[in-house]
Structures are given as structure tokens and as C-alpha cells.
Amino acid sequence: MAPKKVFSSYFLTEDAQKRLESLGYDLDQSSADQLPRTEFLRRVKGVHGIICDSACQVDAETLDAAGDTLQVISTHSVGYNHVDLAEAHRRGIQTGHTPDVLTDAVADLALTLILMVLRRVVEAAAVIPTGQWCNQPTWMLGRQLRGKAVGIVGLGRIGEGVAQRLRGFGVSRILYSGRRPREEAALRVGANFVSFDELVRQSDVVCICCSLNDSTYHLFTYDVFKLMKPTAVIINISRGGVIKQEDLVSALANKIIGGAGLDVMTPEPLPTDSHLLKYPNCVLLPHIGSATVEAHEAMGHLCIDNLQAGLEGKPLPHPIPQ
Ligand code: NDP
Ligand code: DGY
């Protein structure tokens, strides 16, 4: 029997990559950064499996381009807003993702961003090469996390990981919002379920940890930023689309919020002339939430586990929830 054809828009980390190469598939691989859409659509033609990541849109056009050989889509991400699940399901194509193994990495990064914004870390570090280091007691003052109310939008795996870490910082309250209460998780981390408006009004730090879906697309608009405390900061480790970005720029320009820390934005990569780059109280990171050796190695293996199962016509070990 001819080997199954697999296209991967992503190179995995060392061990996972070796395992993928050892499986005897007819493997075509590329880096998403160097893959124009037309080239991607050309190369998926006739494949049985696709490995992708969150930068790669797997929509009806992709499925049409692949054709009816396609059995499985395995994304190297926990987020799956880039995969047209309904269309894949309709065509009988299995879809898998990589939950849990990146939760610690992303929750760590959320805390990193919170502290970077509150303590003005980027601004302060930028002073060193200028020589304008100042010893005045009023200089470069930030804010502490102790005693602050933190609101988590989406108490899922990562939201809970963020809440767990916050407890060690002595925050006064952890609030969360969502489509429904997450009672068990909330009990574990001592978080209180509140309405979205209440969360936004009461929090000193708002941390976006939800998935991007129809109910969260552009959830944060100028009107929402106006509800926030003027000193409050917004952190986003979810997806750029949860924030209406031009409204965030206006909120920063008009100083109606205290600052922002974003690991995700729109588009990615962010154009170098983006207005977001103008504000010293806006810390930007290039979507590195899961980027640790440990998380990416584990994600690579989950991704292969899903691919293998799908190509063998078995249920995936980590299916994307339908
Ligand atoms: P989970 O599925 O465990 O959590 C997602 C949460 O989003 C659920 O608790 C869900 O709650 C919540 N949610 C959905 N809709 C809403 C809404 N309208 N309001 C508030 N909450 C909502 O996923 P993970 O925690 O593992 O991952 C979360 C997201 O983080 C991913 O989807 C991905 O986009 C992003 N991510 C980013 C990374 C990065 O590198 N920056 C790395 C990994 C993930 P409910 O359905 O109960 O409302
Ligand atoms: C995820 O896993 O969803 C991350 O955003 C990586 O793309």
C-alpha cells in the first residue's frame, strides 16, 4: 500500500520531528511563515493528513483543495478558531488539538505580562542604554499585584492556571466571567462568577483567557474600555480578535485605561507601523504563550498522536470538541 500523504505547515521540535519523520508517511513540510496561501492550497492537494498551527487557516477552501482523501486535521495548538470545524465534520474529517500540555507555559506568560505592565518593565529596561537612570523616589513607579482585584475572562484550563498563580501574589479577589459558571474550577482557585460588565468595572487587572468564538469576537470595544477603572490594565493571551484593536489604541491614546499587555494581536505579525507600538504602557509579545521547550515538545507528540489515529481511522486521543 502506498504511504499516506501528510502535509505539515509547521516543523516540530527535535524529538517530535524525528518521530514524525520515522513514521513512513509521504511527508511534505514547510514553515507557515514562508508559505503563501496559494502554495499551501497547492501542496495540500490529495493529502490524507494535515498538520497545521494557529497561523494557518484551514477553511472550506483548504478542504476543497485537499479533496476527499483528507482524513485528519491535527493542529499544533489548543486554540482552534482557525479550523472550520463544521465543514470538517460535515465531510467526515477528524480534527485534533493539543490541550493541557501548554497550560503552564501560557499561564506563566500571562503572569509575566501582568507584572511587566504593572511594574513598567519594558519602559524601565529601555532606560539603561540611554544612561538616564534616575534615583528619585517618584521615578518609574509601578503598581503591586498584592491587594488588587483580578478578572479572568474565561476560566478554562489556562484561566484556572492564571488564577492558581495569582493566589500566590496575594490578590484581593479573583473574578471570572463566561457563558456559564465553572463551579469546580472556581472552587479550586477561589474565584467568583460575575457578569462581564461587573468583571470589567471591578477589576484592576483584566486577563483575557477565553477562546475566540462568535460570543468573544470584539468583546472588548471602546465602550467596554470606558467601563474599566482608569488605572486598570488589560492582558490578552487568548486571540487578538477578542479585542477590537483600534478601540484599544483609542483607549490608550485617551488614557482611559492604565495599560495593556498583549501576547496576541491582529494581524500577526503586527505591522511595524502599528499605533499600538506608540504607547510605553502597552507591552507587546509575539505570540509566545506556549513557546517553551517543554510545551512545544509535548504539543508535537500530541499532534502526531492525533495524526496517527486519524490516518488509521481510529478516534483521536485529543479531538477538538464539536
Ligand atoms: P479552554 O477551552 O479550557 O478554555 C476556554 C474558555 O473560554 C472556557 O472556559 C470557555 O468558558 C471560555 N469562553 C468561551 N466563550 C466565552 C465568553 N463569551 N466569555 C467568557 N469566556 C468564554 O481552553 P484553554 O484554556 O486551553 O485555552 C484558551 C485559549 O487560549 C485558546 O482557545 C487559545 O485561543 C488561547 N491560547 C493562546 C496561547 C498563546 O500562545 N497566547 C497558547 C494557548 C492557548 P465557557 O464555555 O464555560 O463560557
Ligand atoms: C494555541 O495553542 O492556541 C496557541 O495560540 C499556539 O498557537
Side-chain angles (χ1 to χ4, degrees), residues 146-207:
R146 176 168 294 278
K148 301 295 187 295
V150 183
I152 297 179
V153 180
L155 195 70
R157 289 172 289 250
I158 295 170
E160 183 178 347
V162 171
Q164 265 168 4
R165 283 157 178 74
L166 286 169
R167 285 162 63 94
F169 284 88
V171 297
S172 63
R173 281 183 308 157
I174 303 175
L175 309 172
Y176 76 101
S177 65
R179 289 177 291 198
R180 55 181 182 275
R182 296 269 181 162
E183 278 154 14
E184 286 178 19
L187 204 62
R188 285 194 290 269
V189 294
N192 293 318
F193 185 65
V194 292
S195 70
F196 177 68
D197 277 14
E198 213 176 319
L199 179 142
V200 171
R201 284 178 205 277
Q202 293 186 19
S203 301
D204 298 295
V205 175
V206 174
C207 189

Side-chain angles (χ1 to χ4, degrees), residues 58 63 71-75 78 80 83-97 157 179-180 213 316 318-322:
V58 182
L63 305 184
Q71 293 173 281
V72 59
I73 298 158
S74 176
T75 184
V78 68
Y80 46 79
V83 180
D84 187 336
L85 294 183
E87 195 55 37
H89 187 65
R90 195 178 68 74
R91 300 177 191 219
I93 300 163
Q94 296 205 78
T95 55
H97 69 150
R157 289 172 289 250
R179 289 177 291 198
R180 55 181 182 275
N213 58 50
L316 307 195
H318 312 282
I320 297 178
Q322 290 289 332

Side-chain angles (χ1 to χ4, degrees), residues 36-235:
R37 178 78 182 165
T38 46
E39 173 77 355
F40 170 62
L41 294 176
R42 190 183 63 74
R43 285 167 72 173
V44 295
K45 188 171 164 44
V47 298
H48 300 91
I50 294 177
I51 292 179
C52 63
D53 73 311
S54 61
C56 187
Q57 285 300 319
V58 182
D59 51 13
E61 185 185 35
T62 310
L63 305 184
D64 284 344
D68 55 16
T69 48
L70 188 61
Q71 293 173 281
V72 59
I73 298 158
S74 176
T75 184
H76 187 274
S77 63
V78 68
Y80 46 79
N81 54 291
H82 56 293
V83 180
D84 187 336
L85 294 183
E87 195 55 37
H89 187 65
R90 195 178 68 74
R91 300 177 191 219
I93 300 163
Q94 296 205 78
T95 55
H97 69 150
T98 61
D100 297 314
V101 294
L102 43 49
T103 298
D104 286 329
V106 188
D108 286 349
L109 196 83
L111 262 296
T112 306
L113 271 174
I114 293 173
L115 292 171
M116 285 175 85
V117 179
L118 289 180
R119 296 303 305 273
R120 304 171 63 182
V121 169
V122 174
E123 247 182 291
V127 165
I128 300 284
T130 71
Q132 289 176 343
W133 181 324
C134 170
N135 278 330
Q136 293 302 318
T138 53
W139 185 68
M140 205 51 82
L141 301 186
R143 287 174 190 274
Q144 296 181 186
L145 198 41
R146 176 168 294 278
K148 301 295 187 295
V150 183
I152 297 179
V153 180
L155 195 70
R157 289 172 289 250
I158 295 170
E160 183 178 347
V162 171
Q164 265 168 4
R165 283 157 178 74
L166 286 169
R167 285 162 63 94
F169 284 88
V171 297
S172 63
R173 281 183 308 157
I174 303 175
L175 309 172
Y176 76 101
S177 65
R179 289 177 291 198
R180 55 181 182 275
R182 296 269 181 162
E183 278 154 14
E184 286 178 19
L187 204 62
R188 285 194 290 269
V189 294
N192 293 318
F193 185 65
V194 292
S195 70
F196 177 68
D197 277 14
E198 213 176 319
L199 179 142
V200 171
R201 284 178 205 277
Q202 293 186 19
S203 301
D204 298 295
V205 175
V206 174
C207 189
I208 307 176
C209 298
C210 57
S211 50
L212 175 61
N213 58 50
D214 290 346
S215 70
T216 58
Y217 178 72
H218 284 185
L219 186 60
F220 283 82
T221 58
Y222 196 76
D223 285 343
V224 171
F225 291 124
K226 279 200 298 195
L227 296 178
M228 287 172 61
K229 297 180 187 180
T231 51
V233 305
I234 179 101
I235 304 298

Side-chain angles (χ1 to χ4, degrees), residues 4-70:
K4 297 268 183 174
K5 286 188 177 182
V6 172
F7 179 76
S8 174
S9 71
Y10 205 73
F11 283 96
L12 304 178
T13 50
E14 201 176 338
D15 270 15
Q17 178 67 28
K18 277 193 199 136
R19 179 178 158 210
L20 180 64
E21 288 170 11
S22 74
L23 292 172
Y25 300 134
D26 178 355
L27 179 66
D28 178 18
Q29 223 168 345
S30 177
S31 160
D33 326 348
Q34 290 146 21
L35 193 66
R37 178 78 182 165
T38 46
E39 173 77 355
F40 170 62
L41 294 176
R42 190 183 63 74
R43 285 167 72 173
V44 295
K45 188 171 164 44
V47 298
H48 300 91
I50 294 177
I51 292 179
C52 63
D53 73 311
S54 61
C56 187
Q57 285 300 319
V58 182
D59 51 13
E61 185 185 35
T62 310
L63 305 184
D64 284 344
D68 55 16
T69 48
L70 188 61

Side-chain angles (χ1 to χ4, degrees), residues 244-308:
K244 194 171 176 200
Q245 200 159 286
E246 62 268 33
D247 287 10
L248 173 61
V249 169
S250 305
L252 290 167
N254 297 332
K255 298 187 167 55
I256 64 167
I257 61 170
L262 313 176
D263 184 44
V264 286
M265 51 215 86
T266 317
E268 293 177 6
L270 189 72
T272 50
D273 61 355
S274 166
H275 291 307
L276 278 179
L277 288 158
K278 285 188 196 163
Y279 303 98
N281 57 343
C282 179
V283 175
L284 301 171
L285 295 177
H287 200 150
I288 56 164
S290 68
T292 66
V293 173
E294 295 87 346
H296 273 203
E297 194 62 42
M299 288 165 75
H301 284 290
L302 258 58
C303 198
I304 298 172
D305 294 343
N306 282 330
L307 177 79
Q308 268 190 302

